[in-house]
Amino acid sequence: MEEDRQDVLMNFLAITNADDAKALPILEASNWKLDDAVNLFFAAGEGGGAMGGGAPSNPAAPSNMGGMEEDYVRAALPSKVDRLYGHARGPMPAGAQFGLSQQRQPPKDLLFDGDFEAAKAHASEEGKWLLLNVQCATEFDSCRLNRDTWGHPALKEMLIGMFVFYQQDMENEEGAKLVTNYRLSKLPAVLVVDPITGATITDKSGFMDAEKMMDMLVPFMDQGPKDPGAGRLAHAMSMKRKATADAAASASRPTTVIEGFDDEDAEMARAIAASMEPQTAGATSVEGPSNAMDDSLDDIDEEEVWARIREDEAKEEAARNKPSAEQVLAEAQKRLPEEPPEATGSGPKSVCRVACRMPDGQRLTRRFNKSDTVQAIMDYCVCQLPEAAAGRKFGLHIAMGGGQLSTPEATLEAAGVEGTLISVKWEE
Protein backbone atom coordinates (compact mmCIF):
# COMPACT_ATOMS: atom_id res chain seq x y z
CA MET A 1 0.00 0.00 0.00
CA GLU A 2 2.84 2.40 0.84
CA GLU A 3 4.48 1.73 -2.56
CA ASP A 4 1.17 2.37 -4.33
CA ARG A 5 0.78 5.70 -2.57
CA GLN A 6 4.37 6.61 -3.42
CA ASP A 7 3.62 5.93 -7.12
CA VAL A 8 0.47 8.06 -6.94
CA LEU A 9 2.44 10.86 -5.29
CA MET A 10 5.20 10.75 -7.93
CA ASN A 11 2.66 10.83 -10.78
CA PHE A 12 0.75 13.68 -9.12
CA LEU A 13 3.94 15.74 -8.72
CA ALA A 14 4.89 15.12 -12.36
CA ILE A 15 1.47 16.19 -13.65
CA THR A 16 0.89 19.22 -11.44
CA ASN A 17 4.46 20.41 -10.77
CA ALA A 18 3.37 20.95 -7.16
CA ASP A 19 5.49 20.38 -4.07
CA ASP A 20 4.93 17.80 -1.33
CA ALA A 21 3.36 20.33 1.03
CA LYS A 22 0.52 21.03 -1.42
CA ALA A 23 0.27 17.49 -2.82
CA LEU A 24 -0.25 15.51 0.38
CA PRO A 25 -3.40 17.33 1.66
CA ILE A 26 -5.04 17.08 -1.77
CA LEU A 27 -4.21 13.38 -2.14
CA GLU A 28 -5.54 12.63 1.34
CA ALA A 29 -8.72 14.61 0.62
CA SER A 30 -9.28 12.58 -2.59
CA ASN A 31 -8.54 9.23 -0.90
CA TRP A 32 -5.31 8.86 -2.95
CA LYS A 33 -7.15 8.64 -6.26
CA LEU A 34 -4.91 10.25 -8.87
CA ASP A 35 -7.60 11.50 -11.26
CA ASP A 36 -9.70 13.02 -8.46
CA ALA A 37 -6.65 14.65 -6.91
CA VAL A 38 -5.53 16.21 -10.23
CA ASN A 39 -9.03 17.55 -10.89
CA LEU A 40 -9.22 18.96 -7.37
CA PHE A 41 -5.80 20.62 -7.73
CA PHE A 42 -6.66 22.45 -10.94
CA ALA A 43 -10.17 23.26 -9.77
CA ALA A 44 -8.58 25.09 -6.82
CA GLY A 45 -6.60 27.29 -9.25
CA GLU A 46 -2.91 28.29 -9.13
CA GLY A 47 -1.71 25.28 -7.23
CA GLY A 48 -4.56 24.84 -4.75
CA GLY A 49 -5.46 28.38 -3.78
CA ALA A 50 -8.95 27.25 -2.87
CA MET A 51 -7.54 24.93 -0.27
CA GLY A 52 -6.33 27.80 1.84
CA GLY A 53 -9.64 28.17 3.64
CA GLY A 54 -10.53 31.74 2.70
CA ALA A 55 -12.18 33.26 -0.36
CA PRO A 56 -9.72 34.94 -2.68
CA SER A 57 -9.79 38.69 -2.65
CA ASN A 58 -10.44 40.69 -5.79
CA PRO A 59 -8.70 44.08 -5.75
CA ALA A 60 -10.60 45.15 -8.85
CA ALA A 61 -13.98 44.91 -7.07
CA PRO A 62 -15.41 48.19 -5.75
CA SER A 63 -15.26 48.59 -1.96
CA ASN A 64 -18.82 49.81 -1.64
CA MET A 65 -21.23 48.29 -4.13
CA GLY A 66 -24.38 49.21 -2.17
CA GLY A 67 -27.42 47.75 -3.92
CA MET A 68 -25.59 47.12 -7.21
CA GLU A 69 -24.09 43.72 -6.24
CA GLU A 70 -26.05 41.87 -8.90
CA ASP A 71 -24.65 44.17 -11.63
CA TYR A 72 -21.01 43.67 -10.69
CA VAL A 73 -18.96 41.44 -13.05
CA ARG A 74 -15.75 40.01 -11.66
CA ALA A 75 -12.58 40.59 -13.67
CA ALA A 76 -11.56 37.67 -15.89
CA LEU A 77 -8.85 35.32 -14.62
CA PRO A 78 -5.59 35.51 -16.56
CA SER A 79 -5.23 32.82 -19.27
CA LYS A 80 -2.59 30.16 -18.83
CA VAL A 81 -1.23 27.50 -21.19
CA ASP A 82 0.64 24.55 -19.75
CA ARG A 83 1.28 20.82 -20.35
CA LEU A 84 0.09 18.25 -17.85
CA TYR A 85 3.05 15.98 -18.62
CA GLY A 86 5.61 15.29 -21.31
CA HIS A 87 7.70 17.92 -23.01
CA ALA A 88 7.67 19.80 -26.27
CA ARG A 89 9.61 18.67 -29.33
CA GLY A 90 13.22 19.77 -29.35
CA PRO A 91 15.80 20.25 -26.58
CA MET A 92 14.41 20.52 -23.06
CA PRO A 93 15.05 23.72 -21.09
CA ALA A 94 17.00 23.52 -17.87
CA GLY A 95 14.86 22.39 -14.94
CA ALA A 96 12.01 21.14 -17.16
CA GLN A 97 9.99 18.16 -15.98
CA PHE A 98 10.47 14.85 -17.82
CA GLY A 99 7.45 13.08 -19.23
CA LEU A 100 5.92 10.19 -17.33
CA SER A 101 7.54 7.66 -19.65
CA GLN A 102 10.93 9.16 -18.90
CA GLN A 103 10.43 8.75 -15.14
CA ARG A 104 10.11 4.98 -15.52
CA GLN A 105 12.92 3.77 -17.72
CA PRO A 106 13.30 0.08 -18.63
CA PRO A 107 16.28 -1.78 -17.14
CA LYS A 108 19.44 -0.28 -18.60
CA ASP A 109 20.99 -3.70 -19.21
CA LEU A 110 18.19 -4.45 -21.70
CA LEU A 111 18.69 -1.45 -23.98
CA PHE A 112 21.06 -1.50 -26.93
CA ASP A 113 23.32 1.56 -26.89
CA GLY A 114 23.59 2.84 -30.47
CA ASP A 115 21.50 3.73 -33.49
CA PHE A 116 19.05 1.49 -35.31
CA GLU A 117 21.46 0.33 -38.01
CA ALA A 118 24.01 -0.63 -35.36
CA ALA A 119 21.30 -2.54 -33.48
CA LYS A 120 20.41 -4.49 -36.65
CA ALA A 121 24.04 -5.30 -37.32
CA HIS A 122 24.60 -6.45 -33.74
CA ALA A 123 21.46 -8.63 -33.76
CA SER A 124 22.47 -10.20 -37.08
CA GLU A 125 25.96 -10.93 -35.79
CA GLU A 126 24.60 -12.50 -32.59
CA GLY A 127 21.94 -14.50 -34.46
CA LYS A 128 19.13 -12.88 -32.47
CA TRP A 129 15.88 -11.19 -33.38
CA LEU A 130 15.64 -7.40 -33.07
CA LEU A 131 12.86 -6.26 -30.72
CA LEU A 132 11.93 -2.65 -31.50
CA ASN A 133 9.87 -0.44 -29.17
CA VAL A 134 8.89 3.03 -30.41
CA GLN A 135 7.33 5.19 -27.68
CA CYS A 136 5.60 8.54 -27.26
CA ALA A 137 6.44 10.55 -24.15
CA THR A 138 2.91 11.95 -23.91
CA GLU A 139 1.24 8.51 -24.00
CA PHE A 140 0.73 6.96 -20.58
CA ASP A 141 0.90 3.47 -22.12
CA SER A 142 4.59 4.14 -22.81
CA CYS A 143 5.11 4.74 -19.10
CA ARG A 144 3.21 1.56 -18.29
CA LEU A 145 5.38 -0.47 -20.64
CA ASN A 146 8.53 0.82 -18.98
CA ARG A 147 7.15 0.49 -15.48
CA ASP A 148 5.17 -2.75 -15.59
CA THR A 149 6.30 -4.81 -18.59
CA TRP A 150 9.99 -4.47 -19.47
CA GLY A 151 11.11 -4.86 -15.85
CA HIS A 152 9.32 -8.19 -15.34
CA PRO A 153 11.98 -10.77 -14.28
CA ALA A 154 10.85 -13.61 -16.59
CA LEU A 155 10.46 -11.33 -19.61
CA LYS A 156 13.79 -9.68 -18.86
CA GLU A 157 15.52 -13.07 -18.87
CA MET A 158 13.87 -13.94 -22.20
CA LEU A 159 14.95 -10.67 -23.82
CA ILE A 160 18.55 -10.88 -22.64
CA GLY A 161 18.94 -14.43 -23.98
CA MET A 162 17.05 -14.29 -27.28
CA PHE A 163 16.66 -10.68 -28.46
CA VAL A 164 18.44 -7.37 -29.01
CA PHE A 165 16.16 -4.74 -27.47
CA TYR A 166 16.11 -1.29 -29.08
CA GLN A 167 13.89 1.55 -27.84
CA GLN A 168 13.35 5.05 -29.22
CA ASP A 169 10.93 7.94 -28.69
CA MET A 170 9.14 9.55 -31.60
CA GLU A 171 10.22 12.99 -30.35
CA ASN A 172 13.80 12.50 -31.52
CA GLU A 173 15.09 12.18 -35.07
CA GLU A 174 15.80 8.45 -34.95
CA GLY A 175 12.34 7.68 -33.55
CA ALA A 176 10.63 9.85 -36.16
CA LYS A 177 12.43 7.91 -38.92
CA LEU A 178 11.24 4.61 -37.47
CA VAL A 179 7.64 5.86 -37.31
CA THR A 180 7.83 6.81 -41.00
CA ASN A 181 9.72 3.76 -42.27
CA TYR A 182 7.54 1.22 -40.46
CA ARG A 183 4.31 3.23 -40.96
CA LEU A 184 3.40 3.23 -37.29
CA SER A 185 -0.04 4.77 -36.79
CA LYS A 186 -0.42 4.10 -33.06
CA LEU A 187 2.13 4.38 -30.26
CA PRO A 188 3.65 2.81 -28.30
CA ALA A 189 4.45 0.07 -30.81
CA VAL A 190 6.41 -3.16 -30.34
CA LEU A 191 7.84 -4.91 -33.42
CA VAL A 192 9.89 -8.05 -33.95
CA VAL A 193 12.23 -7.22 -36.84
CA ASP A 194 14.38 -9.52 -38.96
CA PRO A 195 17.82 -7.96 -38.51
CA ILE A 196 19.02 -9.33 -41.84
CA THR A 197 16.27 -7.88 -44.04
CA GLY A 198 14.85 -5.22 -41.71
CA ALA A 199 11.32 -6.55 -42.36
CA THR A 200 8.63 -6.64 -39.68
CA ILE A 201 7.80 -10.20 -38.61
CA THR A 202 5.06 -9.28 -36.14
CA ASP A 203 3.91 -6.10 -34.42
CA LYS A 204 1.57 -4.91 -31.69
CA SER A 205 0.52 -1.44 -30.57
CA GLY A 206 -0.63 -0.08 -27.23
CA PHE A 207 0.07 -1.51 -23.79
CA MET A 208 0.75 -5.20 -23.23
CA ASP A 209 1.47 -6.77 -19.86
CA ALA A 210 4.46 -9.07 -19.42
CA GLU A 211 2.45 -12.28 -19.83
CA LYS A 212 0.97 -11.27 -23.20
CA MET A 213 4.36 -9.97 -24.33
CA MET A 214 5.98 -13.33 -23.56
CA ASP A 215 3.19 -15.15 -25.40
CA MET A 216 3.93 -13.03 -28.46
CA LEU A 217 7.68 -13.68 -28.27
CA VAL A 218 7.66 -17.43 -27.45
CA PRO A 219 7.58 -18.58 -31.13
CA PHE A 220 10.84 -16.71 -31.74
CA MET A 221 12.74 -18.59 -29.03
CA ASP A 222 13.08 -21.78 -31.08
CA GLN A 223 14.37 -20.24 -34.31
CA GLY A 224 16.94 -17.50 -34.76
CA PRO A 225 16.94 -15.27 -37.87
CA LYS A 226 19.73 -17.36 -39.43
CA ASP A 227 18.14 -20.77 -38.73
CA PRO A 228 16.61 -22.80 -41.59
CA GLY A 229 13.14 -22.52 -40.05
CA ALA A 230 13.23 -18.73 -39.86
CA GLY A 231 11.67 -18.39 -43.31
CA ARG A 232 8.75 -20.63 -42.37
CA LEU A 233 8.27 -18.71 -39.13
CA ALA A 234 8.26 -15.38 -40.98
CA HIS A 235 5.79 -16.75 -43.54
CA ALA A 236 3.49 -18.08 -40.80
CA MET A 237 3.55 -14.74 -38.99
CA SER A 238 2.90 -12.91 -42.26
CA MET A 239 -0.12 -15.12 -43.03
CA LYS A 240 -1.40 -14.59 -39.49
CA ARG A 241 -1.14 -10.82 -39.86
CA LYS A 242 -2.88 -10.98 -43.26
CA ALA A 243 -5.69 -13.14 -41.84
CA THR A 244 -6.17 -10.70 -38.97
CA ALA A 245 -6.31 -7.75 -41.37
CA ASP A 246 -8.75 -9.57 -43.68
CA ALA A 247 -10.98 -10.46 -40.74
CA ALA A 248 -11.01 -6.84 -39.60
CA ALA A 249 -11.81 -5.65 -43.13
CA SER A 250 -14.57 -8.24 -43.47
CA ALA A 251 -16.08 -7.21 -40.15
CA SER A 252 -16.15 -3.58 -41.26
CA ARG A 253 -17.63 -4.35 -44.73
CA PRO A 254 -21.38 -3.56 -44.90
CA THR A 255 -23.74 -6.49 -45.45
CA THR A 256 -25.86 -6.43 -48.61
CA VAL A 257 -29.55 -6.43 -47.68
CA ILE A 258 -32.43 -6.80 -50.15
CA GLU A 259 -34.81 -3.94 -49.63
CA GLY A 260 -38.10 -5.02 -48.09
CA PHE A 261 -36.76 -8.39 -46.84
CA ASP A 262 -35.16 -9.48 -43.60
CA ASP A 263 -32.19 -11.88 -43.65
CA GLU A 264 -34.28 -15.08 -43.89
CA ASP A 265 -36.51 -13.65 -46.61
CA ALA A 266 -33.48 -12.54 -48.61
CA GLU A 267 -31.94 -16.02 -48.37
CA MET A 268 -35.20 -17.60 -49.51
CA ALA A 269 -35.47 -15.16 -52.43
CA ARG A 270 -31.98 -16.05 -53.61
CA ALA A 271 -32.77 -19.79 -53.37
CA ILE A 272 -35.97 -19.43 -55.43
CA ALA A 273 -34.15 -17.37 -58.07
CA ALA A 274 -31.41 -20.00 -58.34
CA SER A 275 -33.96 -22.81 -58.74
CA MET A 276 -35.63 -20.99 -61.63
CA GLU A 277 -32.42 -20.65 -63.64
CA PRO A 278 -32.21 -22.91 -66.77
CA GLN A 279 -30.27 -26.12 -66.31
CA THR A 280 -27.01 -26.60 -68.16
CA ALA A 281 -26.68 -28.84 -71.18
CA GLY A 282 -26.17 -32.51 -70.38
CA ALA A 283 -28.00 -32.28 -67.05
CA THR A 284 -31.40 -32.96 -68.66
CA SER A 285 -30.60 -36.60 -69.48
CA VAL A 286 -32.13 -39.13 -67.09
CA GLU A 287 -29.37 -41.63 -67.76
CA GLY A 288 -26.68 -39.05 -67.10
CA PRO A 289 -26.22 -39.57 -63.33
CA SER A 290 -26.22 -43.37 -63.48
CA ASN A 291 -23.83 -43.38 -66.43
CA ALA A 292 -21.49 -41.00 -64.62
CA MET A 293 -21.58 -43.26 -61.56
CA ASP A 294 -20.78 -46.31 -63.67
CA ASP A 295 -17.85 -44.45 -65.23
CA SER A 296 -16.54 -43.46 -61.80
CA LEU A 297 -16.71 -47.09 -60.62
CA ASP A 298 -14.68 -48.17 -63.62
CA ASP A 299 -11.94 -45.71 -62.65
CA ILE A 300 -11.42 -47.14 -59.12
CA ASP A 301 -7.99 -48.66 -58.50
CA GLU A 302 -8.74 -51.87 -56.59
CA GLU A 303 -5.13 -52.42 -55.54
CA GLU A 304 -5.02 -48.98 -53.97
CA VAL A 305 -8.27 -49.68 -52.08
CA TRP A 306 -6.95 -52.96 -50.68
CA ALA A 307 -3.67 -51.31 -49.75
CA ARG A 308 -5.54 -48.72 -47.69
CA ILE A 309 -7.60 -51.46 -46.02
CA ARG A 310 -4.44 -53.36 -45.04
CA GLU A 311 -2.90 -50.13 -43.74
CA ASP A 312 -5.96 -49.42 -41.58
CA GLU A 313 -5.91 -52.99 -40.23
CA ALA A 314 -2.22 -52.64 -39.33
CA LYS A 315 -2.94 -49.39 -37.47
CA GLU A 316 -5.73 -51.04 -35.52
CA GLU A 317 -3.47 -53.97 -34.62
CA ALA A 318 -0.72 -51.59 -33.45
CA ALA A 319 -3.26 -49.69 -31.35
CA ARG A 320 -4.40 -52.91 -29.66
CA ASN A 321 -0.79 -53.89 -28.82
CA LYS A 322 0.17 -50.39 -27.67
CA PRO A 323 1.13 -50.22 -23.98
CA SER A 324 -1.05 -48.10 -21.72
CA ALA A 325 0.00 -44.66 -20.49
CA GLU A 326 0.48 -46.09 -16.99
CA GLN A 327 2.87 -48.75 -18.31
CA VAL A 328 4.91 -46.21 -20.32
CA LEU A 329 5.14 -43.89 -17.30
CA ALA A 330 6.21 -46.73 -14.99
CA GLU A 331 8.96 -47.83 -17.40
CA ALA A 332 10.24 -44.24 -17.78
CA GLN A 333 10.33 -43.76 -14.00
CA LYS A 334 12.22 -47.03 -13.65
CA ARG A 335 14.86 -46.02 -16.21
CA LEU A 336 15.24 -42.42 -14.99
CA PRO A 337 18.40 -42.13 -12.85
CA GLU A 338 18.24 -40.37 -9.49
CA GLU A 339 19.08 -36.69 -9.48
CA PRO A 340 22.67 -36.26 -8.26
CA PRO A 341 23.56 -33.67 -5.63
CA GLU A 342 25.10 -30.33 -6.58
CA ALA A 343 28.79 -30.62 -7.41
CA THR A 344 31.16 -29.05 -4.85
CA GLY A 345 34.86 -28.31 -4.79
CA SER A 346 37.20 -26.97 -7.44
CA GLY A 347 37.93 -30.26 -9.16
CA PRO A 348 36.38 -31.59 -12.39
CA LYS A 349 32.60 -31.66 -12.17
CA SER A 350 30.71 -34.80 -13.11
CA VAL A 351 27.29 -33.17 -12.77
CA CYS A 352 25.58 -30.93 -15.32
CA ARG A 353 22.41 -28.85 -15.09
CA VAL A 354 19.89 -29.08 -17.95
CA ALA A 355 16.95 -26.71 -18.54
CA CYS A 356 13.96 -27.97 -20.54
CA ARG A 357 11.23 -25.76 -21.97
CA MET A 358 8.05 -27.82 -22.29
CA PRO A 359 5.57 -27.40 -25.16
CA ASP A 360 3.29 -25.29 -22.95
CA GLY A 361 6.12 -22.84 -22.21
CA GLN A 362 6.90 -24.15 -18.72
CA ARG A 363 10.62 -24.26 -17.93
CA LEU A 364 12.01 -27.09 -15.76
CA THR A 365 15.58 -27.57 -14.54
CA ARG A 366 17.22 -30.80 -13.34
CA ARG A 367 20.69 -32.11 -12.58
CA PHE A 368 22.10 -35.16 -14.39
CA ASN A 369 25.40 -36.96 -14.38
CA LYS A 370 27.46 -36.20 -17.45
CA SER A 371 27.67 -39.95 -18.02
CA ASP A 372 23.85 -40.19 -18.30
CA THR A 373 22.43 -40.54 -21.80
CA VAL A 374 20.00 -38.46 -23.81
CA GLN A 375 17.45 -41.18 -23.07
CA ALA A 376 17.45 -39.99 -19.44
CA ILE A 377 16.23 -36.56 -20.55
CA MET A 378 13.56 -38.21 -22.70
CA ASP A 379 12.40 -40.31 -19.74
CA TYR A 380 12.30 -37.18 -17.60
CA CYS A 381 10.06 -35.48 -20.17
CA VAL A 382 7.74 -38.52 -20.27
CA CYS A 383 7.40 -38.27 -16.50
CA GLN A 384 6.46 -34.60 -16.79
CA LEU A 385 4.13 -34.81 -19.83
CA PRO A 386 1.01 -37.02 -19.58
CA GLU A 387 0.49 -36.71 -23.35
CA ALA A 388 3.96 -38.16 -23.96
CA ALA A 389 3.17 -41.09 -21.68
CA ALA A 390 -0.04 -41.59 -23.68
CA GLY A 391 2.02 -42.04 -26.86
CA ARG A 392 2.34 -38.57 -28.37
CA LYS A 393 5.76 -38.24 -30.01
CA PHE A 394 8.12 -35.40 -29.17
CA GLY A 395 11.65 -34.27 -29.99
CA LEU A 396 14.46 -32.58 -28.07
CA HIS A 397 15.93 -29.50 -29.75
CA ILE A 398 18.76 -27.31 -28.48
CA ALA A 399 17.53 -23.70 -28.65
CA MET A 400 18.97 -21.11 -31.04
CA GLY A 401 19.88 -23.52 -33.82
CA GLY A 402 21.77 -26.08 -31.76
CA GLY A 403 20.17 -29.00 -33.58
CA GLN A 404 18.07 -31.97 -32.49
CA LEU A 405 19.14 -34.62 -29.95
CA SER A 406 18.32 -37.66 -32.06
CA THR A 407 20.72 -40.22 -30.53
CA PRO A 408 19.22 -41.56 -27.26
CA GLU A 409 22.34 -43.58 -26.37
CA ALA A 410 24.72 -40.58 -26.58
CA THR A 411 26.05 -39.28 -23.26
CA LEU A 412 25.09 -35.80 -22.14
CA GLU A 413 28.76 -34.77 -22.13
CA ALA A 414 29.16 -35.87 -25.75
CA ALA A 415 25.89 -34.19 -26.73
CA GLY A 416 27.09 -30.89 -25.24
CA VAL A 417 23.85 -30.06 -23.41
CA GLU A 418 25.42 -28.65 -20.26
CA GLY A 419 24.16 -25.13 -19.57
CA THR A 420 21.88 -25.08 -22.62
CA LEU A 421 18.12 -24.69 -23.02
CA ILE A 422 16.46 -27.75 -24.54
CA SER A 423 13.14 -27.12 -26.27
CA VAL A 424 10.66 -30.03 -26.13
CA LYS A 425 8.46 -30.00 -29.25
CA TRP A 426 5.57 -32.18 -30.32
CA GLU A 427 6.26 -33.93 -33.61
CA GLU A 428 2.61 -34.45 -34.53
Side-chain angles (χ1 to χ4, degrees):
M1 179 62 72
E2 188 64 30
E3 292 183 359
D4 294 340
R5 290 191 172 185
Q6 186 65 26
D7 288 341
V8 173
L9 175 60
M10 293 297 295
N11 289 334
F12 181 84
L13 296 179
I15 294 173
T16 62
N17 202 22
D19 54 23
D20 292 354
K22 291 182 179 180
L24 291 175
I26 296 177
L27 289 170
E28 291 175 356
S30 59
N31 197 22
W32 291 89
K33 295 182 179 179
L34 180 60
D35 292 341
D36 294 344
V38 171
N39 292 335
L40 182 59
F41 176 85
F42 288 106
E46 294 297 325
M51 300 296 292
S57 61
N58 187 355
S63 59
N64 184 13
M65 293 188 296
M68 302 296 293
E69 293 183 4
E70 65 278 5
D71 296 332
Y72 169 68
V73 178
R74 175 179 57 82
L77 294 175
S79 62
K80 181 179 181 181
V81 179
D82 200 355
R83 297 173 68 91
L84 295 184
Y85 61 90
H87 58 84
R89 187 182 296 271
M92 293 180 58
Q97 290 289 327
F98 285 94
L100 292 181
S101 62
Q102 302 297 326
Q103 294 184 9
R104 293 283 185 170
Q105 291 286 352
K108 295 296 184 182
D109 52 349
L110 284 181
L111 296 175
F112 177 80
D113 186 14
D115 59 18
F116 181 65
E117 293 300 325
K120 284 202 306 180
H122 179 70
S124 178
E125 181 180 353
E126 294 288 327
K128 298 180 179 180
W129 298 103
L130 177 59
L131 184 64
L132 172 62
N133 176 213
V134 182
Q135 297 200 340
C136 177
T138 56
E139 289 291 340
F140 189 64
D141 281 347
S142 296
C143 173
R144 295 177 65 198
L145 275 176
N146 289 343
R147 181 187 66 186
D148 302 329
T149 302
W150 300 130
H152 190 278
L155 176 60
K156 182 178 177 181
E157 180 182 356
M158 178 187 292
L159 296 183
I160 292 177
M162 305 295 179
F163 296 88
V164 172
F165 182 50
Y166 184 72
Q167 186 185 85
Q168 278 294 341
D169 193 284
M170 66 166 291
E171 299 291 344
N172 57 52
E173 182 179 357
E174 186 78 9
K177 288 182 180 179
L178 293 173
V179 170
T180 302
N181 294 340
Y182 286 97
R183 300 178 181 179
L184 304 179
S185 58
K186 183 180 179 182
L187 298 178
V190 178
L191 303 85
V192 178
V193 176
D194 185 342
I196 301 174
T197 63
T200 301
I201 306 300
T202 187
D203 63 299
K204 295 289 183 181
S205 59
F207 172 75
M208 278 193 297
D209 58 27
E211 182 176 351
K212 291 182 179 179
M213 188 71 71
M214 287 188 286
D215 289 342
M216 184 184 82
L217 300 180
V218 159
F220 297 92
M221 296 183 64
D222 299 329
Q223 303 283 350
K226 295 183 178 180
D227 293 336
R232 293 191 299 270
L233 176 61
H235 178 70
M237 289 294 179
S238 176
M239 295 301 294
K240 184 177 180 181
R241 293 172 64 199
K242 185 178 184 300
T244 302
D246 291 346
S250 177
S252 62
R253 187 179 300 119
T255 303
T256 303
V257 178
I258 300 177
E259 185 177 358
F261 294 87
D262 57 17
D263 292 343
E264 293 183 359
D265 291 338
E267 186 68 25
M268 181 63 71
R270 285 191 291 267
I272 294 174
S275 66
M276 296 179 65
E277 292 180 357
Q279 295 182 347
T280 58
T284 58
S285 173
V286 177
E287 293 80 15
S290 60
N291 292 338
M293 183 176 293
D294 293 340
D295 293 339
S296 64
L297 290 175
D298 292 339
D299 294 335
I300 292 178
D301 187 345
E302 294 184 5
E303 293 184 1
E304 181 180 358
V305 171
W306 283 109
R308 292 182 179 179
I309 292 175
R310 287 191 293 270
E311 182 180 358
D312 293 339
E313 290 176 347
K315 290 181 179 179
E316 292 176 358
E317 181 68 19
R320 286 193 295 267
N321 298 331
K322 181 180 178 181
S324 65
E326 291 77 13
Q327 291 175 328
V328 173
L329 178 60
E331 292 175 1
Q333 291 174 339
K334 183 178 179 180
R335 290 193 302 266
L336 182 64
E338 294 185 1
E339 184 174 8
E342 189 73 40
T344 59
S346 58
K349 296 182 179 180
S350 61
V351 176
C352 64
R353 183 183 297 272
V354 178
C356 296
R357 187 171 67 82
M358 298 302 175
D360 61 354
Q362 182 184 11
R363 182 176 296 182
L364 303 176
T365 304
R366 190 185 190 275
R367 293 186 299 273
F368 293 87
N369 289 311
K370 293 183 178 180
S371 58
D372 292 336
T373 62
V374 174
Q375 181 65 48
I377 300 180
M378 300 177 69
D379 292 334
Y380 175 68
C381 294
V382 170
C383 295
Q384 301 298 325
L385 300 171
E387 291 178 84
R392 189 173 183 182
K393 296 182 179 180
F394 63 92
L396 304 179
H397 301 261
I398 300 178
M400 299 303 294
Q404 182 176 1
L405 300 177
S406 56
T407 309
E409 62 271 16
T411 64
L412 300 185
E413 184 174 14
V417 301
E418 182 179 5
T420 61
L421 175 64
I422 296 178
S423 180
V424 183
K425 299 181 182 179
W426 297 122
E427 293 185 350
E428 300 175 352

